[in-house]
Amino acid sequence: MSFGSPAENYAEAALDLNRLLIKHPSGTYFLRMEGNAMEKEGIFDGDILVVDRALEAGNNKIIIGELNNSLTIRKFLIKEGKNYLTNGDSQPQLIKPTDNFSLWGVVTYTIRSFEK
Amino acid sequence: MRRFLLFDCDNFFVSCERVFNPSLKNRPVVVLSNNDGCVVARSNEAKAVGIAMCAPFFKIADKFKALGGVALSSNYELYADMSNRVMALLRSAFDEIEIYSIDEAFAHSEGENLFEKGLNVRNDILRQTGISVSVGIAPSKTLCKLAGETAKKLSSDKVIEIKNQEDALPLLQKIDINDVWGVGRSITPKLNYLGIFTAAELAAMPRSLARSKFGINLEKTILELNGFPCLEGDSHSCQQSLICSRSFEHEIYQLSELKTILSEFTDKACQRLRAQQASASGIVTMVETNRFKDARFYQNSCLISLEENSTNTARFIKAMNQGLERIFRAGLGYKRAGITLVGITPLHESQNSLFSNAKTSEKEQKLMTAFDEINKKLGSKTLYFGAQASGINHYIRRARKSCAYTTNWNDLLKIS
């Protein structure tokens, strides 16, 4: 006869980083930051970016944008009906109607190793 | 009423590449087979400049480059992961889906407003994976295929629903019988002789004539074209054969080397066999010399049937070795070789022979399951069969391969 473990009734699933960091598993991708363009936003060279393609772009969100067939990471700004990309450093770049722009994904988290 | 929805990814391999490299958009792109041998996928732009499917790459390379085209090696790690994402989204949208191939799946639904649902799911897949999917909705799978093919030609919102035969008719009139699912090329001339050229004409063919002249399968196709589903689940969705073949960078002369490589292929095919809960009854071994170089072109294949259906890699490797020994000719340089598993039957349907030993076969299945589990957990190639070389990838040339963006931490897309 067994009485089981006294802790059994308190069992909870162990914390799972996947569940914390990934809301949409089929739409989440990992990218790697290269260079210092986003240091003002706290994103550093070599950081792993968690990017969710299921989310919409919004003011002040960090996004991966597809601008004229190349991908870039920037902060997205909406001001007076116009859309801009900025890295917090230089003058925000206006997305012109002639630009071929689309949202690739929204950066939701970054992962940085301190043991490099 | 029950309906089928076919979700078919547009130019799937090329679409996967473009998600991570948008500079490939709006220009001709092809993906090459293993060893960069021939074209296995084309963008619309590559189709438009006349690149044929399966074209040997060395023949088109210069012309294609001059046209601004980009050729890539197959990146199966990426395609498999992107396929899993698409299928997972389909699974969350529908109760029942049947995965038909890496880029195609049928969903079943009893629901209403299927056009809207199909469009929503298409948009969701496009947003989350960047892959454009064509959707065909119809009362039967054969009509689904035709609706899907027609949807592919639309420029946006690629969804076509056939609700009833009135919807179907104008579509069927435009489709050649060659393009109807399940109509083989061998019977096309005979049908043409009877005055049947379009899918609409085939749909109107008397069923009794179809059955007596061409057999039950054509009769089923006719029923399907008329909106009566008769291709049910497993029998049609289970792949009829599993192929694993490849052309090599350098000709192979040694029997032992071919044995090692083909054991590897056999293992891969058996893993896929077990993954789809099926068994096979035999294995075809195929070898081929270089058809572009050697005047004495030699090609041969040999089927070895097993006594009973099996899932056991060891049995298939043994049969493959027997077959290979029969067709191997010493002194020739083999440029291509492969194996095909045939007689594939879902496990729950497989008939065992009169002399079968149910216990042995059950035991073997358990062994193979354990084998697959260990390789899955500890990494493939933890366990392998004696004849295989560990980590054999060195002989595959994939010089133009993009990164394994979604399956390797060292290969993540760099962004600035």
Side-chain angles (χ1 to χ4, degrees):
Chain A
M1 202 172 167
S2 150
F3 294 94
S5 153
E8 207 166 330
N9 289 336
Y10 302 92
E12 293 259 7
L15 293 176
D16 181 353
L17 268 179
N18 283 309
R19 297 185 60 166
L20 179 74
L21 302 184
I22 300 174
K23 294 287 175 294
H24 305 100
S26 300
T28 299
Y29 301 81
F30 302 116
L31 274 59
R32 196 178 292 277
M33 183 70 205
E34 191 174 53
N36 55 12
M38 295 297 287
E39 281 186 0
K40 283 250 164 73
E41 301 295 336
I43 302 174
F44 297 88
D45 186 47
D47 286 359
I48 292 174
L49 312 165
V50 181
V51 181
D52 190 336
R53 286 183 58 108
L55 302 177
E56 304 285 339
N59 193 28
N60 280 323
K61 286 196 181 184
I62 307 285
I63 62 149
I64 307 295
E66 195 176 313
L67 185 63
N68 302 325
N69 287 347
S70 87
L71 294 174
T72 183
I73 178 171
R74 289 291 181 269
K75 190 185 223 179
F76 191 71
L77 296 179
I78 307 173
K79 248 194 280 178
E80 293 156 5
K82 287 182 175 155
N83 296 335
Y84 300 83
L85 297 176
T86 175
N87 59 7
D89 209 7
S90 51
Q91 187 75 11
Q93 178 189 358
L94 175 69
I95 303 172
K96 297 186 284 287
T98 49
D99 282 328
N100 184 1
F101 177 81
S102 63
L103 176 74
W104 196 94
V106 173
V107 179
T108 49
Y109 295 91
T110 64
I111 302 167
R112 184 179 319 137
S113 167
F114 291 96
E115 294 197 359
K116 277 178 246 193
Chain B
M1 190 178 148
R2 187 168 186 224
R3 286 176 181 274
F4 299 93
L5 301 90
L6 173 66
F7 290 84
D8 186 2
C9 301
D10 299 333
N11 308 329
F12 180 61
F13 292 179
V14 173
S15 300
C16 291
E17 299 286 353
R18 283 178 167 170
V19 172
F20 295 90
N21 184 358
S23 72
L24 296 173
K25 287 183 177 176
N26 310 316
R27 63 194 296 185
V29 178
V30 296
V31 174
L32 304 172
S33 62
N34 274 314
N35 287 316
D36 300 344
C38 61
V39 172
V40 293
R42 302 166 296 163
S43 69
N44 289 341
E45 297 81 0
K47 291 174 191 172
V49 297
I51 303 296
M53 197 66 171
C54 301
F57 180 58
F58 76 89
K59 282 195 166 173
I60 62 150
D62 292 341
K63 179 190 152 203
F64 190 59
K65 203 175 164 192
L67 288 165
V70 178
L72 299 163
S73 304
S74 296
N75 184 345
Y76 290 114
E77 296 86 347
L78 177 66
Y79 310 149
D81 180 74
M82 295 305 282
S83 171
N84 287 339
R85 291 168 184 261
V86 171
M87 300 305 170
L89 289 169
L90 285 176
R91 234 177 254 118
S92 63
F94 296 96
D95 294 336
E96 206 182 336
I97 71 160
E98 280 173 55
I99 297 175
Y100 189 69
S101 69
I102 191 166
D103 57 359
E104 256 179 303
F106 284 103
H108 305 209
S109 178
E110 307 263 358
E112 301 287 317
N113 299 329
L114 286 186
F115 183 90
E116 205 182 346
K117 175 143 191 195
L119 187 60
N120 285 342
V121 173
R122 174 190 140 76
N123 288 339
D124 197 34
I125 292 173
L126 183 60
R127 197 165 49 128
Q128 296 208 35
T129 67
I131 308 280
S132 163
V133 180
S134 301
V135 189
I137 309 169
S140 74
K141 286 185 183 170
T142 306
L143 287 175
C144 256
K145 276 268 189 187
L146 297 181
E149 285 304 318
T150 313
K152 251 187 208 319
K153 296 183 186 110
L154 302 175
S155 54
S156 62
D157 290 357
K158 299 185 173 193
V159 184
I160 285 190
E161 180 176 19
I162 296 176
K163 280 197 166 141
N164 47 45
Q165 285 315 104
E166 286 89 83
D167 284 358
L169 195 61
L171 221 139
L172 295 183
Q173 283 167 340
K174 279 185 226 146
I175 288 166
D176 193 281
I177 48 170
N178 258 325
D179 299 325
V180 176
W181 201 31
V183 177
R185 287 195 182 267
S186 58
I187 66 168
T188 309
K190 291 177 200 156
L191 287 168
N192 288 163
Y193 183 73
L194 293 171
I196 296 169
F197 294 90
T198 69
E201 287 161 347
L202 182 61
M205 182 183 186
R207 275 163 50 198
S208 53
L209 176 68
R211 181 167 25 177
S212 62
K213 287 240 177 200
F214 301 97
I216 182 85
N217 286 334
L218 192 69
E219 190 192 0
K220 279 188 179 170
T221 300
I222 291 171
L223 280 165
E224 286 252 318
L225 286 175
N226 284 289
F228 300 103
C230 46
L231 299 176
E232 274 306 324
D234 286 340
S235 57
H236 218 84
S237 71
C238 205
Q239 282 172 286
Q240 303 290 296
S241 57
L242 268 170
I243 304 173
C244 197
S245 78
R246 206 157 283 166
S247 49
F248 310 121
E249 194 167 356
H250 303 292
E251 276 92 355
I252 291 174
Y253 290 87
Q254 299 299 321
L255 178 63
S256 58
E257 194 177 344
L258 274 179
K259 278 188 175 174
T260 312
I261 291 167
L262 289 177
S263 301
E264 181 77 16
F265 291 180
T266 308
D267 178 40
K268 273 209 185 110
C270 287
Q271 282 176 32
R272 269 152 59 193
L273 181 72
R274 295 191 289 271
Q276 66 185 50
Q277 300 283 316
S279 64
S281 67
I283 181 166
V284 177
T285 308
M286 181 279 294
V287 293
E288 201 179 287
T289 58
N290 192 340
R291 66 170 79 216
F292 297 108
K293 191 168 126 189
D294 205 333
R296 301 175 304 157
F297 175 63
Y298 173 75
Q299 181 194 38
N300 206 348
S301 64
C302 175
L303 166 69
I304 302 283
S305 294
L306 304 185
E307 274 171 31
E308 56 183 328
N309 270 49
S310 178
T311 60
N312 186 337
T313 307
R315 285 181 191 268
F316 285 104
I317 288 181
K318 196 175 157 201
M320 178 276 297
N321 278 321
Q322 283 171 13
L324 180 60
E325 278 163 22
R326 282 193 204 168
I327 57 175
F328 181 83
R329 302 277 177 279
L332 298 177
Y334 293 94
K335 182 68 184 164
R336 185 175 182 82
I339 61 99
T340 308
L341 298 183
V342 295
I344 294 180
T345 324
L347 271 182
H348 57 91
E349 279 178 27
S350 59
Q351 292 172 329
N352 284 321
S353 75
L354 218 52
F355 308 103
S356 91
N357 184 334
K359 268 207 176 129
T360 317
S361 118
E362 199 190 309
K363 215 165 147 186
E364 279 182 9
Q365 264 174 39
K366 276 188 186 154
L367 175 71
M368 296 319 300
T369 311
F371 183 86
D372 290 342
E373 285 295 312
I374 290 172
N375 279 340
K376 209 157 127 192
K377 270 192 196 134
L378 303 178
S380 64
K381 296 281 165 277
T382 305
L383 287 182
Y384 56 93
F385 287 84
Q388 298 168 244
S390 57
I392 199 154
N393 285 332
H394 61 267
Y395 66 85
I396 301 172
R397 184 175 67 182
R398 295 197 287 181
R400 301 153 185 273
K401 191 174 93 61
S402 53
C403 295
Y405 300 113
T406 57
T407 53
N408 187 334
W409 288 114
N410 297 319
D411 264 6
L412 299 184
L413 180 68
K414 295 198 172 88
I415 189 98
S416 54

